[in-house]
Amino acid sequence: MLRNWYGRLGLATKQFIFLFSVTLVFFLVLAWTNLSEAERLFKEQVTADTELLLARTNQYIDASLDNIENIVLLLASRSELLDASREEEAIGVLNHYASYNNSMARTLYLIRADGKVYANNQVVYEIVGNPHLQRLYDEAEDNYGALNVSEPYDSPISGHTLAYTMPITGRDKQVLGVVVAELDLERLTTRIAPMIYQSFVLLSSEGRVINRLVPGDDLLPYQPRVYPPELETSFAERLSGLKLGVSSLDSGERPLLIVKSNKNRLGWSLIAFIEEARLYRNLETLYSNYRTASTAWIGILLVSAYLISRSFTRPIRRLVDKMDRVHDVQVIPRLSVTRGDEIGRLARSYNAMLERIQQLLVETRRAEARKKEYELKMLRSQIAPHFLYNTLACISSLAKQRKIEEVRETIRSLVGLLSLSFDKHGEYVSLAEELEGIAMYMHIQQVRYGPQYTYTLDVEEALLPLPVLKLSLQPLVENALLHGIVPQGGGCIQIRGRLERGMVRIYVRDDGCGMPRRQAAAMLGTGEEAEAKQRFTGIGLANVHERIRIHYGSAYGLRIGSRPGVGTSIRLQFPVLPAADPGAGSPKLEQN
């Protein structure tokens, strides 16, 4: 169906559709490829920037933790502060380190082996206490003197925190006490939050959240009715199993793009969350630019394809219009050739073809004229011998009868008739001259057959000057005489001429024996059958009929009507031609 519809379209429409479709598909594929590549590059750039931010944030966290480690190491090296007599000094030192500007320490403790605890906020500690210190003391003591970092927990003094612990040993490696430094995780979160513009989570080596979560962050799933906010357990477990780098994760309501950093020296992992919808919203400007560019490009493509199709097909359409308007090949407008491409060559070939056609038409008209002239000469040559044969036969018969005077009169009529027929140039004579020739012919026949063979003339005076074809009536009269009257031993031939319906009509009637209708129709035919049936006059009538049709057209000629025992009537019809000098040649026939 589509193929048939496309096949019925014009050349310009086909070319327009083809150019537009191919270019549009190419543009859409190219635009889609570029847009996908731009989207991929933008996504890679965002994730690369996030990874860089996470790496720098990890470096900052490590640097901040270095301060805590230094404080813990310094306090662990001052075992003298555990003396009971130096309690005030110990509390002062703890206050000094805790108040240090860059310190992330929230609360510092010195725990003696006997259970005595010194804190930088000694009064608060004595009032509130801290139930986690004994556990921290035991973990530090079991760690063989190394620096230990606990898992996050909630302290009554420091809030959500984790602790650095390290045992204080004497000279004999005996544990005298433990240094405990609880981190200010809220300060840590506050400091690293501006460095990462996405939501983030800092996980411990065991997968627990270290940083303080923001209550207003609706990107991550939180446990309901829990404060401070805590991640859903299943979501937190899934975070622990993520691989390093970029990955995708569904939070339950929206897909998230997750960037996980390498672990720092404490085994912590920093994870940043990017909402994919927000990422694509950032790409909306790019999409908008592509839509605008696509709309403009499609508009330009439409106009360009139309102009290209028009530039190629307009000369062809002009050529087709010129060819469709060609009705008269004698007057054909030439195409102006202004192009040097194949279309210009086509126009030049068309002009050359028209020139050849006009030359062939001229040659054809000349050949037809010569052929017509040869045919007329042949027809005349057929009529003249036939007439002479019959006339000479008549003279021979008179001579045998020794009718010298009749022979003399017949020869005189014959000479006049031949002079009338052959001494004048051209195909036409006046109707009066043609009737004069009929009178001479009938005189010859009356001398031969006797006075019982008569003829009458009834021709309008206005028709006598009109030109007629030479020897167009004589064969009709001859046919009426020899085949109508002679077989029955006498009769009358009537010749009547009238102007009817703007045409000249001459009727030759006889009251002879007549003939059947089929035989009358065959007398105007051609071929061997007609020639055999009408050995003499049949050929003459057919030739007269053909001569009239050649000169005047197919609407004119002879018409024969006959009835056996009644007679025969032949009508000769030709148009009214202006009177002219018969010796000047053929008069001109006005063609409608």
Side-chain angles (χ1 to χ4, degrees):
M1 182 69 69
L2 183 61
R3 184 176 182 180
N4 295 334
W5 171 80
Y6 185 78
R8 291 192 297 269
L9 297 177
L11 180 61
T13 307
K14 288 181 179 178
Q15 189 178 36
F16 170 76
I17 293 176
F18 178 78
L19 288 176
F20 179 75
S21 300
V22 171
T23 310
L24 180 61
V25 170
F26 175 75
F27 169 75
L28 291 178
V29 171
L30 182 62
W32 177 258
T33 303
N34 290 337
L35 183 60
S36 300
E37 184 67 16
E39 180 180 333
R40 184 185 64 82
L41 292 176
F42 180 79
K43 188 175 181 179
E44 290 180 354
Q45 184 64 41
V46 171
T47 55
D49 292 343
T50 303
E51 288 178 336
L52 180 60
L53 289 175
L54 294 182
R56 292 179 178 176
T57 304
N58 266 333
Q59 293 175 359
Y60 175 78
I61 293 174
D62 289 340
S64 300
L65 297 179
D66 285 343
N67 294 330
I68 300 294
E69 292 178 3
N70 293 330
I71 292 174
V72 171
L73 290 174
L74 288 174
L75 291 175
S77 64
R78 300 188 63 179
S79 58
E80 72 275 6
L81 296 177
L82 297 177
D83 292 340
S85 60
R86 305 182 69 171
E87 180 179 352
E88 293 184 0
E89 181 183 355
I91 294 173
V93 172
L94 293 177
N95 283 325
H96 171 73
Y97 285 120
S99 61
Y100 186 67
N101 291 333
N102 293 327
S103 176
M104 297 296 297
R106 177 70 178 269
T107 306
L108 298 176
Y109 302 94
L110 289 175
I111 305 174
R112 296 193 311 189
D114 59 0
K116 180 63 177 177
V117 177
Y118 303 139
N120 60 313
N121 294 321
Q122 188 67 27
V123 177
V124 176
Y125 170 74
E126 291 177 354
I127 297 175
V128 177
N130 191 341
H132 299 280
L133 292 182
Q134 185 61 47
R135 176 180 59 82
L136 296 174
Y137 184 91
D138 295 338
E139 291 177 357
E141 190 176 17
D142 295 338
N143 203 22
Y144 304 103
L147 185 66
N148 183 60
V149 180
S150 71
E151 287 297 313
Y153 61 91
D154 292 324
S155 171
I157 298 177
S158 302
H160 187 68
T161 184
L162 57 84
Y164 273 74
T165 61
M166 187 173 184
I168 303 173
T169 60
R171 293 179 180 180
D172 54 357
K173 303 299 182 180
Q174 182 181 3
V175 177
L176 302 177
V178 173
V179 178
V180 177
E182 289 184 335
L183 270 65
D184 190 350
L185 293 182
E186 184 174 357
R187 178 181 293 182
L188 178 64
T189 303
T190 304
R191 287 187 178 182
I192 65 177
M195 302 178 65
I196 307 175
Y197 53 83
Q198 299 95 349
S199 299
F200 69 94
V201 168
L202 186 61
L203 292 181
S204 67
S205 58
E206 296 184 1
R208 298 183 61 182
V209 179
I210 296 176
N211 63 303
R212 183 180 180 87
L213 300 178
V214 180
D217 189 356
D218 60 349
L219 187 62
L220 303 178
Y222 298 109
Q223 297 182 19
R225 296 181 298 276
V226 175
Y227 189 86
E230 294 183 10
L231 292 177
E232 289 183 354
T233 304
S234 60
F235 185 76
E237 291 175 353
R238 294 168 66 186
L239 294 180
S240 301
L242 292 175
K243 63 181 181 179
L244 298 178
V246 182
S247 57
S248 297
L249 187 63
D250 193 350
S251 65
E253 296 181 358
R254 65 198 78 178
L256 299 176
L257 190 67
I258 298 177
V259 182
K260 185 176 182 180
S261 70
N262 293 322
K263 295 182 179 181
N264 61 8
R265 62 174 180 267
L266 297 179
W268 296 354
S269 298
L270 188 59
I271 300 176
F273 302 91
I274 304 173
E275 184 182 3
E276 289 192 7
R278 183 175 301 173
L279 178 65
Y280 290 120
R281 282 198 297 270
N282 294 331
L283 291 172
E284 185 61 31
T285 302
L286 181 62
Y287 294 152
S288 178
N289 292 336
Y290 263 90
R291 284 193 295 268
T292 303
S294 300
T295 303
W297 176 255
I298 291 175
I300 295 173
L301 178 60
L302 281 170
V303 176
S304 301
Y306 173 76
L307 293 178
I308 292 175
S309 301
R310 183 179 177 85
S311 65
F312 279 108
T313 58
R314 184 179 181 184
I316 298 177
R317 291 199 304 271
R318 291 177 57 191
L319 176 61
V320 172
D321 293 339
K322 292 282 187 180
M323 296 177 68
D324 290 340
R325 289 198 296 267
V326 172
H327 299 289
D328 186 3
V329 294
Q330 298 182 4
V331 182
I332 302 178
R334 292 175 56 86
L335 292 177
S336 60
V337 181
T338 58
R339 302 171 65 104
D341 53 8
E342 288 79 0
I343 297 178
R345 292 173 57 188
L346 179 62
R348 284 191 290 270
S349 298
Y350 175 74
N351 291 334
M353 179 187 68
L354 293 182
E355 293 179 359
R356 289 194 296 270
I357 290 175
Q358 290 176 339
Q359 293 175 358
L360 290 174
L361 287 175
V362 173
E363 295 177 359
T364 302
R365 285 196 297 269
R366 292 176 180 173
E368 289 180 351
R370 289 194 297 268
K371 179 181 178 182
K372 181 178 179 181
E373 181 180 356
Y374 293 152
E375 289 177 350
L376 292 176
K377 289 182 179 180
M378 181 185 67
L379 293 176
R380 289 183 60 189
S381 66
Q382 289 178 343
I383 293 175
H386 176 73
F387 168 72
L388 288 176
Y389 173 81
N390 290 328
T391 304
L392 292 176
C394 178
I395 294 175
S396 175
S397 177
L398 292 175
K400 289 179 181 180
Q401 298 176 19
R402 298 182 180 276
K403 296 181 179 181
I404 305 303
E405 186 63 29
E406 285 83 353
V407 170
R408 184 181 297 111
E409 292 295 331
T410 304
I411 293 175
R412 184 181 298 110
S413 297
L414 177 61
V415 171
L417 184 59
L418 293 176
S419 175
L420 177 66
S421 301
F422 298 105
D423 289 349
K424 294 181 178 293
H425 299 286
E427 288 290 329
Y428 290 87
V429 295
S430 65
L431 179 59
E433 291 174 327
E434 183 71 11
L435 292 176
E436 182 180 355
I438 295 298
M440 294 179 182
Y441 174 80
M442 287 301 298
H443 175 72
I444 293 173
Q445 301 303 331
Q446 285 175 342
V447 169
R448 178 182 178 184
Y449 294 109
Q452 68 270 23
Y453 300 95
T454 60
Y455 77 99
T456 62
L457 292 176
D458 183 13
V459 179
E460 294 180 357
E461 291 292 335
L463 301 181
L464 295 178
L466 298 181
V468 296
L469 283 173
K470 189 185 298 183
L471 296 178
S472 59
L473 293 180
Q474 188 271 340
L476 276 61
V477 175
E478 179 185 7
N479 183 79
L481 176 67
L482 297 180
H483 297 275
I485 298 178
V486 171
Q488 68 178 11
C492 181
I493 299 175
Q494 298 180 357
I495 302 174
R496 186 167 64 92
R498 295 289 185 273
L499 181 63
E500 298 176 354
R501 299 181 181 178
M503 294 179 291
V504 177
R505 290 179 176 176
I506 298 177
Y507 300 89
V508 178
R509 293 174 179 159
D510 65 80
D511 54 0
C513 58
M515 69 188 81
R517 179 179 302 176
R518 184 174 181 182
Q519 182 181 357
M523 294 183 68
L524 299 181
T526 57
E528 295 180 357
E529 182 180 358
E531 185 175 356
K533 291 182 180 181
Q534 302 294 334
R535 185 176 178 185
F536 299 112
T537 56
I539 297 175
L541 293 180
N543 285 334
V544 171
H545 179 66
E546 186 65 22
R547 286 176 65 202
I548 294 174
R549 290 168 64 88
I550 290 176
H551 280 276
Y552 301 122
S554 59
Y556 305 98
L558 301 182
R559 187 170 181 179
I560 301 176
S562 180
R563 292 181 63 185
V566 177
T568 302
S569 176
I570 301 176
R571 187 189 73 183
L572 186 151
Q573 178 176 284
F574 56 90
V576 177
L577 300 179
D581 183 6
S586 301
K588 295 182 180 180
L589 175 62
E590 296 292 335
Q591 295 286 353
N592 294 331

